[in-house]
Amino acid sequence: MIESAAVLDRLIAEAAAALRKARHVCVLTGAGVSAESGIPTFRDALTGLWQNFNPEDLATPEAFERDPNLVWNWYESRREMIRSVEPNPGHYALVELARRVPRFTLVTQNVDGLHQRAGSRDVLEYHGNIMRDRCIVERVIADRSDDSRHGLPRCAACGGLLRPDVVWFGEAIPAGPMLAAAAAAGDCDVFLSVGTSSMVYPAAGLAETAMDAGARIIEINPSATGLSQAATAIGGRSGVILPRLVAALA
Ligand code: OAD
């Protein structure tokens, strides 16, 4: 669904006009915004993580209970990959967009921390952050004990097993980001959905909340999603479209 140049110019001008008038812009990002940094998405054919790995074996509390080593090896390999890449122009354009509108809320489903590395502040981490460890006993972010070097990571405070601070399938969204994101979606007048398949709830419900509140929905994605019909859908890669959108605000 990559647009022709003329259609792209028109859609970007339309979206920029809506952003220029906006009082509050709420952005929801997904794995697609990090794809141009070299991090695979989840569901893209062939390259998507869930095409090559079974989420039931790696991203559920049951999987972790069954085989914490397997899960930790996978998360350590993803951490390594994330440390080896950099934010892309799409991430930086959102930092700039935040400066250009009266009120800006950034909600991300991504656990990679690339928005923050690009300079975005107050990012609502809807699915947590892969770089943090959480103690499964005390259920808090924790430091690693020295023993962690020889096996599974352990909590420095209580010795309990640590897990990545991410949301696994079947788990609840952390209350803070969930409530703040719902409030922002219900208050914004422009909702920008970038690089997400809009398939995973409750995150995918935020656009519906915004729509019900009368907000203008703009989507940036090289492929159509379930949201495209209800949005100003701009077909293209976020690392290309977002900088153009911000440039068009001038
Ligand atoms: P998906 O992999 O489901 O969707 C990625 C979307 O990004 C697809 O619609 C692609 O077309 C689009 N895309 C690919 N390259 C892009 C680019 N360069 N620019 C813009 N868009 C691009 O990823 P998410 O929607 O983020 O949850 O998945 C949602 C959640 O499902 C994740 O947070 C994770 C996963 O299971 C949990 O683990 C809880």
Side-chain angles (χ1 to χ4, degrees), residues 191-212:
F191 186 92
L192 197 50
S193 178
V194 185
T196 179
S197 56
S198 296
M199 292 169 63
V200 176
Y201 282 76
L206 292 169
E208 292 154 21
T209 302
M211 239 182 287
D212 295 346

Side-chain angles (χ1 to χ4, degrees), residues 30-32 35-36 41-44 50 109-110 127 167 169 195-198 200 220-223 225 236-238:
E36 289 152 86
T41 66
F42 290 90
R43 291 176 186 82
D44 278 335
W50 296 151
Q109 298 168 87
N110 301 345
H127 291 158
V167 175
F169 289 99
T196 179
S197 56
S198 296
V200 176
I220 298 174
N221 195 315
S223 306
T225 74
R237 296 175 299 137
S238 51

Side-chain angles (χ1 to χ4, degrees), residues 53-114:
F53 300 97
N54 182 347
E56 270 78 41
D57 295 338
L58 294 162
T60 65
E62 295 75 21
F64 189 66
E65 206 165 317
R66 217 173 26 245
D67 191 343
N69 274 303
L70 175 74
V71 173
W72 261 121
N73 288 341
W74 190 61
Y75 277 90
E76 285 300 353
S77 68
R78 288 181 62 196
R79 285 181 172 183
E80 265 327 293
M81 180 205 307
I82 291 166
R83 288 191 195 100
S84 72
V85 303
E86 295 297 328
N88 66 63
H91 295 105
Y92 290 109
L94 289 173
V95 176
E96 182 55 26
L97 180 58
R99 293 196 193 105
R100 311 285 287 274
V101 297
R103 188 164 168 216
F104 182 85
T105 304
L106 177 54
V107 187
T108 189
Q109 298 168 87
N110 301 345
V111 296
D112 57 31
L114 289 183

Side-chain angles (χ1 to χ4, degrees), residues 11-249:
L11 289 170
I12 287 178
E14 216 181 288
L19 288 169
R20 238 179 266 116
K21 287 194 306 249
R23 172 189 49 77
H24 181 185
V25 175
C26 180
V27 179
L28 174 70
T29 65
V33 84
S34 294
E36 289 152 86
S37 293
I39 298 184
T41 66
F42 290 90
R43 291 176 186 82
D44 278 335
L46 305 177
T47 58
L49 285 173
W50 296 151
Q51 309 299 328
N52 301 306
F53 300 97
N54 182 347
E56 270 78 41
D57 295 338
L58 294 162
T60 65
E62 295 75 21
F64 189 66
E65 206 165 317
R66 217 173 26 245
D67 191 343
N69 274 303
L70 175 74
V71 173
W72 261 121
N73 288 341
W74 190 61
Y75 277 90
E76 285 300 353
S77 68
R78 288 181 62 196
R79 285 181 172 183
E80 265 327 293
M81 180 205 307
I82 291 166
R83 288 191 195 100
S84 72
V85 303
E86 295 297 328
N88 66 63
H91 295 105
Y92 290 109
L94 289 173
V95 176
E96 182 55 26
L97 180 58
R99 293 196 193 105
R100 311 285 287 274
V101 297
R103 188 164 168 216
F104 182 85
T105 304
L106 177 54
V107 187
T108 189
Q109 298 168 87
N110 301 345
V111 296
D112 57 31
L114 289 183
H115 285 300
Q116 294 91 326
R117 281 171 58 189
S120 286
R121 288 202 302 274
D122 308 323
V123 178
L124 299 177
E125 297 179 315
Y126 213 74
H127 291 158
N129 187 310
I130 198 173
M131 293 301 182
R132 287 193 301 259
D133 293 337
R134 191 182 342 135
C135 172
I136 68 168
V137 177
E138 300 162 296
R139 298 170 180 275
V140 294
I141 306 301
D143 295 326
R144 289 188 175 202
S145 75
D146 294 343
D147 306 353
S148 304
R149 280 182 304 228
H150 318 298
L152 290 167
R154 297 270 163 194
C155 173
C158 75
L161 190 55
L162 296 177
R163 56 166 282 176
D165 182 36
V166 296
V167 175
W168 283 330
F169 289 99
E171 293 189 320
I173 304 297
M178 186 176 70
L179 296 171
D187 176 71
C188 68
D189 42 4
V190 173
F191 186 92
L192 197 50
S193 178
V194 185
T196 179
S197 56
S198 296
M199 292 169 63
V200 176
Y201 282 76
L206 292 169
E208 292 154 21
T209 302
M211 239 182 287
D212 295 346
R216 172 84 178 262
I217 311 295
I218 300 169
E219 180 187 58
I220 298 174
N221 195 315
S223 306
T225 74
L227 182 66
S228 306
Q229 291 298 324
T232 301
I234 308 178
R237 296 175 299 137
S238 51
V240 175
I241 304 294
L242 284 170
R244 283 196 59 183
L245 193 50
V246 171
L249 289 179

